[in-house]
């Protein structure tokens, strides 16, 4: 299985974009989609508080699965069941389920309400994914495990450790899946398992559910026998690992390529999905072909509509013909020219430094003769960038919801363009 992991914690694309994306992923060699919905799932009833204002509808979830089926992509839903649950524990309603009250990262496994909540979440997600034969339970990076008072008391009374505590919780989750969804197979990340002794792992029976641990380590493309990929936020891969804790089906090889939207629920956005597609294409084709040969390069170029690419310089030549290619190029313009052109105008223009300093602007005085020497140039620069950002916003809005568009522009454009806007305002 070659799974593309769509981690939707921020910058989740509209379904209309997935309609364009899925055929490309299939063409590049993917045969599955690992979807980490977080707050983009249409939770209902008691769980409705968890969903984003822009969450997919139930009809969207169904359409995503139909699209995947059409392009021979198996959908694997990912539900975090221990760590990475900030989107749940940030809500006052669920704060009592935190391992450490100050931090919304991880569940307290000793509170009965934790398992009850997870059963509700898993039930709602699986109810909308009846075609899926796999579910991923996350279970990675359970920060602060063992630091809560309940955990300390448990370890003291049971002469236990955090490893046993971790396995007990995972076993309860897997037992629920096994009983409730016969034949459904489970995946999980293995980073927490790596901290547990082999003896402890062998001593724990993980329940009736088959679970396949996946390596959660970060790989660069060079470890896939490809030239290094230096595109911002290069796609990353995790490959199947084995563990004595589980009955792991050995006839399947798995690999995962991820386009993270952000690293956790509170971080800034990572790179936008269209900008990561060239990197994803290189990694997928490298996995399919066992290395990055000239034939692999040619297949990637044909699929993306580029004339050439230089992986070492993170550049692609040509307009590109993949979904979101316009955004790819426009983000490249922002990254390479926006800050540079504005800083050059503000800091290297001698008339601005000498006759239109912050002091002049604050007290609103200056000689028009000197101001006119730089005015037309600054006004033109301002007009060009405002027109560019207007076009960029329109392209972003065709793929993303308003919150993502605003956040990306505020983080990547406004810190520089606002300085130019302020100068133009004072000049006028």
């Amino acid at each position: 299985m070659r799974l593309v992991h769509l981690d939707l914690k921020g910058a989740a694309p509209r379904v209309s974009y997935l309609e364009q994306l899925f055929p490309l992923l299939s063409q590049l060699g993917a045969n599955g989609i690992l979807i980490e919905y977080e707050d983009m799932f249409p939770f209902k009833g008691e769980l409705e508080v968890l969903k984003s204002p822009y969450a997919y509808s139930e009809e969207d979830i169904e359409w995503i699965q139909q699209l995947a089926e059409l392009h021979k992509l198996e959908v694997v839903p990912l539900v975090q069941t221990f760590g990475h649950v900030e989107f749940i524990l940030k809500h006052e309603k669920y704060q009592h389920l935190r391992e450490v009250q100050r931090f919304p990262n991880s569940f307290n496994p000793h509170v009965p309400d934790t398992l009850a909540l997870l059963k509700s979440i898993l039930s709602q997600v699986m109810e909308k994914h009846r075609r899926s034969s796999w579910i991923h339970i996350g279970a990675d990076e359970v920060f602060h495990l063992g630091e809560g008072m309940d955990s300390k008391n448990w370890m003291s009374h049971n002469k236990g450790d955090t490893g046993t505590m971790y396995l007990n919780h995972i076993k309860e989750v897997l037992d629920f899946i096994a009983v409730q969804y016969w034949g459904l197979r489970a995946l999980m990340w293995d980073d927490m398992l790596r901290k547990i002794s082999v003896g402890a792992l062998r001593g724990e029976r993980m329940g009736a559910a088959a679970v396949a641990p996946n390596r959660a380590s970060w790989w660069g493309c060079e470890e896939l026998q490809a030239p290094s990929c230096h595109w911002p936020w290069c796609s990353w891969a995790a490959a199947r690992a084995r563990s004595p804790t589980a009955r792991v089906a050995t006839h399947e090889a798995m690999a995962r390529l991820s386009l993270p939207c952000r690293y956790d629920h509170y971080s800034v956005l990572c790179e936008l999905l269209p900008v990561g597609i060239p990197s994803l294409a290189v990694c997928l084709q490298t996995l399919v072909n066992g290395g990055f040969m000239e034939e692999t390069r040619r297949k990637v170029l044909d699929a993306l509509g580029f004339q050439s690419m230089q992986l070492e310089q993170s550049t692609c030549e040509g307009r590109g013909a993949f979904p979101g290619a316009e955004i790819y190029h426009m983000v490249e313009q922002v990254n390479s020219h926006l800050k540079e052109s504005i800083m050059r105008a503000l800091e290297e223009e001698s008339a601005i430094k000498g006759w239109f300093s912050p002091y002049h602007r604050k007290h609103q005085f200056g000689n028009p003769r000197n101001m006119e020497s730089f005015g037309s140039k600054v006004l033109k620069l301002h007009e060009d960038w405002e027109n560019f950002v207007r076009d960029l916003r329109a392209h972003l809005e065709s793929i993303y919801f308003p919150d993502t568009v605003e956040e990306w522009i505020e983080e990547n454009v406004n810190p520089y363009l606002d300085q130019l806007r302020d100068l133009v305002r004072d000049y006028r």
Side-chain angles (χ1 to χ4, degrees):
M1 294 176 70
R2 294 180 293 275
L3 302 175
V4 173
H5 178 191
L6 294 178
D7 188 348
L8 303 182
K9 53 173 72 71
R14 298 177 186 272
V15 177
S16 56
Y17 182 69
L18 297 180
E19 289 182 31
Q20 305 171 60
L21 181 65
F22 282 9
L24 176 63
L25 298 182
S26 182
Q27 179 187 354
L28 289 168
N31 55 21
I33 306 291
L34 177 65
I35 306 182
E36 187 168 356
Y37 289 105
E38 282 228 349
D39 57 0
M40 287 303 293
F41 189 81
F43 292 108
K44 56 187 178 182
E46 287 292 310
L47 302 180
E48 192 167 357
V49 67
L50 300 179
K51 72 178 186 179
S52 159
Y54 302 103
Y56 296 142
S57 67
E58 293 185 17
E59 291 75 21
D60 288 334
I61 301 295
E62 175 59 25
W63 182 228
I64 288 171
Q65 291 176 89
Q66 289 183 24
L67 286 170
E69 194 172 334
L70 179 64
H71 298 290
K72 297 180 172 55
L73 299 168
E74 182 169 356
V75 173
V76 180
L78 191 159
V79 177
Q80 288 287 0
T81 56
F82 213 160
H84 282 299
V85 285
E86 296 92 347
F87 84 101
I88 300 170
L89 298 183
K90 71 179 183 180
H91 295 285
E92 185 177 357
K93 180 177 181 179
Y94 298 116
Q95 283 182 9
H96 68 290
L97 302 182
R98 296 176 177 183
E99 168 71 357
V100 176
Q101 278 302 300
R102 289 174 56 215
F103 307 128
N105 304 80
S106 306
F107 279 125
N108 178 346
H110 310 286
V111 181
D113 286 353
T114 292
L115 189 60
L117 174 62
L118 285 172
K119 288 178 179 180
S120 296
I121 292 173
L122 288 164
S123 295
Q124 288 202 17
V125 171
M126 288 314 303
E127 179 189 341
K128 299 301 177 187
H129 291 83
R130 296 188 178 277
R131 298 178 182 83
S132 297
S133 56
W134 291 91
I135 185 170
H136 201 302
I137 63 169
D140 59 318
E141 297 186 332
V142 187
F143 299 133
H144 311 294
L145 180 62
E147 295 178 16
M149 191 53 65
D150 287 346
S151 289
K152 289 178 180 177
N153 290 337
W154 184 90
M155 287 187 289
S156 174
H157 294 151
N158 294 276
K159 294 184 172 58
D161 56 19
T162 55
T164 304
M165 206 159 50
Y166 175 84
L167 294 175
N168 286 346
H169 177 73
I170 295 303
K171 181 177 180 296
E172 288 185 316
V173 171
L174 293 174
D175 283 347
F176 169 74
I177 291 171
V179 171
Q180 201 71 19
Y181 305 101
W182 180 253
L184 183 66
R185 291 174 289 180
L187 295 163
M188 64 183 288
W189 303 130
D190 79 330
D191 60 307
M192 297 297 293
L193 297 176
R194 279 186 256 135
K195 302 173 185 177
I196 302 172
S197 71
V198 173
L201 291 171
R202 284 184 174 142
E204 284 292 333
R205 300 178 63 85
M206 295 293 278
V211 58
N214 290 93
R215 281 188 63 185
S217 55
W218 290 71
W219 287 2
C221 292
E222 59 272 18
E223 292 185 71
L224 298 171
Q225 301 176 30
S228 58
C229 285
H230 300 296
W231 277 291
W233 304 109
C234 177
S235 310
W236 49 292
R240 179 77 163 272
R242 295 183 186 178
S243 164
T245 65
R247 299 199 308 277
V248 177
T250 58
H251 64 282
E252 290 168 302
M254 286 193 180
R256 177 197 58 143
L257 295 161
S258 180
L259 290 171
C261 297
R262 58 174 108 239
Y263 286 113
D264 69 49
H265 196 72
Y266 285 91
S267 73
V268 296
L269 291 174
C270 298
E271 195 54 271
L272 296 173
L273 196 157
V275 182
I277 284 179
S279 176
L280 175 68
V282 168
C283 293
L284 262 177
Q285 275 293 296
T286 299
L287 282 172
V288 170
N289 296 293
F292 193 77
M293 292 80 72
E294 187 54 40
E295 182 185 356
T296 316
R297 181 191 296 269
R298 177 49 50 197
K299 287 180 180 178
V300 170
L301 291 174
D302 289 346
L304 300 183
F306 286 129
Q307 276 71 58
S308 64
M309 62 168 53
Q310 301 297 327
L311 296 191
E312 291 75 12
Q313 284 76 45
S314 310
T315 58
C316 296
E317 286 75 41
R319 289 306 305 161
F322 61 91
E326 302 88 354
I327 290 176
Y328 173 88
H329 288 294
M330 296 182 90
V331 169
E332 198 174 46
Q333 286 286 99
V334 169
N335 289 339
S336 59
H337 298 305
L338 176 65
K339 179 181 178 181
E340 178 191 356
S341 66
I342 292 174
M343 291 301 102
R344 188 167 58 242
L346 297 183
E347 296 175 6
E348 296 180 11
E349 180 65 55
S350 61
I352 293 178
K353 295 187 74 173
W355 284 271
F356 202 56
S357 71
Y359 184 84
H360 290 89
R361 292 165 62 183
K362 178 180 178 181
H363 295 283
Q364 299 182 3
F365 78 99
N367 188 329
R369 178 179 179 277
N370 303 109
M371 291 170 62
E372 286 173 6
S373 70
F374 67 80
S376 59
K377 187 189 301 183
V378 166
L379 291 175
K380 178 70 164 58
L381 182 66
H382 174 251
E383 181 184 12
D384 287 348
W385 276 118
E386 291 289 9
N387 289 337
F388 175 89
V389 172
R390 196 174 301 114
D391 290 343
L392 172 60
R393 182 183 288 273
H395 283 295
L396 289 174
E397 288 173 347
S398 71
I399 292 179
Y400 292 109
F401 298 99
D403 58 338
T404 297
V405 177
E406 290 307 318
E407 181 177 354
W408 197 88
I409 288 178
E410 283 191 32
E411 288 281 352
N412 297 277
V413 173
N414 290 351
Y416 312 111
L417 191 51
D418 280 351
Q419 296 180 58
L420 183 60
R421 288 164 174 159
D422 290 345
L423 181 78
V424 167
R425 180 201 63 216
D426 291 346
Y427 171 83
R428 283 176 173 155

